[in-house]
């Protein structure tokens, strides 16, 4: 960094336009995009999928593939225009001065090479460093990215590390040659919220330590608030607002930025009294963009004849380098009270429809290759006990590997439990696998999966897929009946009836998820297990899909089991919350009870890790050290004791020796913990909101 004047931008993108060329047409992906990153500054790029964020990053790396081309503008790095550089010059820059971290860490790691050798390659190639020196540097940087036992990690292969550890190695690799610019493309999307918190802290600390400038791409506004100094909001290929992060959050000047904030569950949002407001309409396809303002057809401030008259330029807005692409930005009353969603009646909670008692699910796993070796037991679920009522939303939260999805499979009958009872309307269904369950039982317990892309048949149109479910559930007396019911289900999930003829590839992610929901309700489901149903969707689509689930629940009095790691959505949607860790239920209570002290130490850490897109929110920072222990080899005593910051408050090493008892703190609120009532009652809130 010493070779550059700190008063000049590291990265300067001016009027950048990028197109992809197909046999049929030129598809403009990014138009007239400008942004500046100063030395040591972190710039956030936010927006929905398809808005052009990753395309901008790939253009900076000059890695747009065969059919992508920069058709206008310039990208200057340290004053040199990257668009005119030759391939050898670019190769010299990539990896040494500009490094990129991708969303999926395994895409950047060679599965057949040890970690140490992969890291040492970077300075050996870019700086001609001797191998022993490069390995010493690799060890130092592995320690910098806070990985335990660096010597063991350097000798490991990528598959021997967890997702969070792999992502740290990729960050270490990017930092090996101390680049001036680090591009991070959704680096934490595939990770748990607790691991994400550790990586976000790490990225910030390393940015300060090495003086690295960052381009941080994310659709998570809370994460951008945690990491970045400046922000650029993109919509349909254009930058629509840019400025200082706090300024854009608190003093926004573009209708799309405002609409984004209204569709995310910030503290204070409530599914009945203050529902989220989804952005109407759909994101335009690149070759179907409207004339004038791209956001015009979805904007509540749209004025015909002005907003669609011609191209809209970026104009200055009040504040430090703050600009917006809105010709009405000075006329709109940005301080007007937010138009909140229509308040609705709370769904009354009825009788118990599902009850689990002491449910256990163990798997036998062979430790040798090809099935030989010692047989070990994986304890996926341990003594699960809870009940769910009609019309209630029960959220199940915890990190990957805590047993959430195993529990869902057992309930669905895709797996049978090792011991314990599952009662559906007082009928014991625990020992009945799905193929032996009656049609009534199968149709009354349905599932909505995380990834809508994998659950639809690509060769069958939407209407046929829903009718197929109706046939299996013996719904309707004739084909005409079933066709009519299919159209009603499309109405229920707010999809146009014409979509019955469409193939899955013609639908967006949010629309596919709606088809999945329609299919789940085809047999009049009474209990719906929603396994991360909105985590693969954009924030504006999330609001619409969660609103839809709530509306169907009110209409059908459905019991919703909502599996998620996103505690903001959980707080907004759920009536009760069950927190799981390593197969155990460690806390269970109403949403208000779980979100306010006293907490189970694990719940406290989960809450502190949630990124919240609100400048008024102050959070305690509790970063969990280490990963979830293996369910094949759980720690003795309390399952959480290896990562617990409160362990020293329990005398006599009790946490190391004994499984904690289930303690009732208040009516309906229980935790599994050795902490005394005195310590629990002295806990402080993790999340506080500053008075305005």
């Amino acid at each position: 960094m010493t070779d550059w004047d700190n008063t000049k931008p590291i990265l300067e993108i001016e009027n950048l336009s990028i197109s992809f060329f197909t046999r049929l047409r030129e598809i403009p992906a990014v138009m007239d995009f400008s942004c500046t990153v100063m030395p040591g500054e972190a710039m956030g790029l936010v927006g929905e999928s398809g808005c052009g964020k990753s395309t901008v990053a790939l253009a900076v790396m000059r890695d747009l593939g065969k059919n992508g081309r920069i058709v206008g503008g310039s990208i200057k790095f340290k004053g040199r225009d990257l668009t005119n550089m030759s391939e050898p010059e670019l190769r010299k820059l990539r990896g040494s001065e500009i490094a990129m971290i991708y969303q999926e860490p395994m895409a950047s790691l060679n599965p057949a090479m040890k970690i140490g050798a992969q890291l040492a390659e970077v300075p050996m190639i870019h700086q001609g460093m001797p191998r022993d020196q490069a390995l010493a540097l690799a060890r130092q940087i592995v320690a910098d990215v806070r990985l335990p036992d660096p010597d063991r990690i350097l000798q490991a292969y990528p598959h021997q590390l967890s997702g969070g550890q792999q992502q740290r190695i990729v960050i270490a690799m990017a930092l090996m040659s101390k680049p001036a610019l680090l591009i991070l493309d959704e680096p934490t999307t595939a990770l748990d919220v607790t691991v994400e918190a550790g990586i976000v802290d790490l990225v910030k600390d390393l940015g300060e330590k090495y003086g690295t400038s960052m381009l941080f791409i994310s659709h998570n506004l809370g994460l951008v608030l945690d990491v970045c100094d400046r922000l650029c909001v993109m919509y349909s290929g254009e930058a629509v607002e840019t400025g200082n992060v706090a300024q854009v959050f608190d003093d926004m000047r573009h209708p799309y930025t405002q609409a984004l904030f209204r569709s995310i569950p910030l503290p204070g949002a409530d599914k009945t009294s203050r529902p989220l407001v989804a952005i109407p309409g759909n994101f335009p396809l690149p070759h179907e963009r409207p004339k004038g303002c791209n956001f015009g057809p979805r904007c509540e401030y749209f004025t015909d004849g002005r907003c669609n008259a011609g191209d809209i330029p970026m104009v200055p807005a009040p504040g430090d380098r703050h600009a917006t692409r809105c010709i009405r930005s000075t006329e709109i009353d940005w301080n007007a009270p937010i138009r909140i969603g229509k308040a609705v009646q709370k769904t009354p909670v009825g009788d118990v429809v599902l009850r689990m008692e002491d449910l256990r699910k163990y798997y036998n796993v062979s430790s040798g290759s090809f099935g030989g070796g010692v047989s070990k037991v994986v304890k996926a679920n341990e003594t699960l006990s809870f009940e769910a009522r009609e019309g209630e939303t029960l959220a199940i939260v915890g990190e990957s590997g805590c047993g959430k999805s195993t529990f869902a499979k057992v309930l669905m009958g895709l797996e049978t439990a090792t011991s314990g009872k599952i009662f559906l309307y007082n009928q014991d269904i625990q020992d009945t696998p799905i193929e032996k369950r009656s049609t009534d039982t199968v149709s009354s317990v349905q599932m909505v999966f995380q990834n809508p892309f994998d659950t639809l048949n690509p060769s069958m149109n939407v209407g046929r897929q829903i009718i197929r479910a109706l046939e299996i559930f013996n719904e309707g007396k004739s084909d005409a009946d079933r066709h009519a019911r299919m159209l009603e289900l499309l109405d229920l999930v707010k999809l146009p009836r014409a979509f019955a003829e469409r193939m899955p590839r013609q639908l967006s992610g949010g629309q596919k998820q709606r088809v999945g929901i329609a299919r789940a309700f085809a047999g009049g489901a009474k209990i719906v297990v929603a396994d991360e149903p909105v985590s693969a969707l954009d924030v504006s689509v999330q609001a619409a899909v969660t609103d839809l689930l709530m509306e169907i629940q009110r209409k059908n009095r459905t019991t919703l089991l909502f599996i998620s790691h996103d505690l903001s959505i959980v707080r907004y949607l759920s009536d009760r919350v069950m927190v799981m860790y390593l197969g155990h239920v460690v806390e269970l209570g109403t949403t208000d009870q779980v979100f306010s002290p006293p907490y189970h130490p694990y719940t406290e850490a989960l809450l502190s890790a949630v990124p919240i897109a609100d400048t008024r929110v102050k959070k305690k920072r509790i970063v969990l050290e280490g990963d979830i222990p293996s369910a094949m080899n759980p720690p003795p005593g309390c399952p959480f004791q290896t990562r617990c910051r409160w362990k020293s408050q329990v005398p006599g090493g009790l946490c190391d020796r004994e499984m904690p008892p289930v303690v009732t703190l208040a009516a309906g609120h229980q935790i599994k913990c050795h902490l005394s009532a005195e310590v629990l009652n002295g806990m402080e809130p993790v999340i506080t909101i500053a008075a305005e």
Side-chain angles (χ1 to χ4, degrees), residues 205-342:
D205 291 353
L206 293 173
E208 283 165 22
K209 179 173 180 178
Y210 294 115
T212 312
S213 304
M214 284 188 272
L215 194 58
F216 188 90
I217 298 168
S218 181
H219 64 263
N220 185 330
L221 288 160
L223 214 51
V224 167
L225 179 60
D226 278 353
V227 178
C228 301
D229 312 301
R230 295 185 60 74
L231 171 65
C232 177
V233 182
M234 288 186 77
Y235 181 80
S236 188
E238 294 180 325
V240 293
E241 183 162 11
T242 182
N244 170 299
V245 163
Q247 213 161 44
V248 174
F249 274 49
D250 295 339
D251 200 14
M252 55 196 75
R253 283 291 182 271
H254 195 280
Y256 175 61
T257 315
Q258 187 183 57
L260 265 187
F261 275 90
R262 289 179 184 178
S263 64
I264 54 177
L266 295 173
D270 179 273
K271 64 180 177 184
T272 50
S273 60
R274 287 178 66 88
L276 300 178
V277 183
I279 304 175
N282 286 315
F283 199 76
L285 291 169
H287 57 281
E288 293 174 357
R289 290 190 177 107
K291 196 166 181 274
C293 175
N294 282 345
F295 188 59
R298 305 174 75 188
C299 178
E300 64 176 278
Y301 306 110
F302 178 78
T303 309
D304 193 16
R306 286 182 67 196
C307 298
N308 54 1
D311 288 347
I312 312 281
M314 283 294 260
V315 293
D320 161 40
R321 288 152 61 206
H322 189 180
T324 175
R325 196 181 291 274
C326 176
I327 52 170
R328 297 204 54 205
S329 66
T330 53
E331 304 160 23
I332 295 167
D333 179 3
W334 298 101
N335 296 319
I338 287 181
R339 180 182 58 79
I340 57 170
K342 194 165 133 250

Side-chain angles (χ1 to χ4, degrees), residues 281-283 285 452-453 456 462 466 490 493-496 499 502-519 537 541-542 544-545 548:
N282 286 315
F283 199 76
L285 291 169
F453 308 91
L456 299 179
V462 165
I466 297 172
L490 287 178
V493 296
K494 296 189 167 61
L495 281 176
F499 274 41
R502 289 201 184 182
M503 302 302 278
R505 66 173 183 275
Q506 296 171 293
L507 271 54
S508 70
Q511 289 164 345
K512 283 182 185 156
Q513 193 60 293
R514 285 164 187 258
V515 176
I517 293 168
R519 206 171 49 178
L537 306 175
V541 184
Q542 273 184 13
V545 172
L548 172 69

Side-chain angles (χ1 to χ4, degrees), residues 84-103:
N84 301 329
M85 273 191 192
S86 66
E87 197 51 47
E89 285 178 304
L90 285 167
R91 209 172 295 131
K92 221 171 167 181
L93 272 184
R94 283 191 206 118
S96 61
E97 295 217 57
I98 305 175
M100 185 157 176
I101 295 167
Y102 296 89
Q103 181 169 347

Side-chain angles (χ1 to χ4, degrees), residues 55-116:
T55 307
V56 168
L58 291 171
V60 174
M61 294 299 280
R62 289 292 312 278
D63 183 22
L64 288 167
K66 281 198 172 73
N67 60 352
R69 216 173 302 156
I70 294 172
V71 292
S74 64
I75 305 171
K76 286 186 181 148
F77 173 72
K78 290 187 172 179
R80 297 167 66 198
D81 193 342
L82 297 177
T83 54
N84 301 329
M85 273 191 192
S86 66
E87 197 51 47
E89 285 178 304
L90 285 167
R91 209 172 295 131
K92 221 171 167 181
L93 272 184
R94 283 191 206 118
S96 61
E97 295 217 57
I98 305 175
M100 185 157 176
I101 295 167
Y102 296 89
Q103 181 169 347
E104 181 46 68
M106 273 311 277
S108 314
L109 295 172
N110 182 337
M113 259 175 103
K114 287 184 177 173
I115 297 294

Side-chain angles (χ1 to χ4, degrees), residues 177-197:
S177 51
K178 303 193 172 49
L181 177 68
L182 186 58
I183 301 171
L184 301 103
D185 189 359
E186 301 270 12
T188 60
T189 304
L191 304 175
D192 280 311
V193 63
T194 48
V195 182
E196 178 179 80

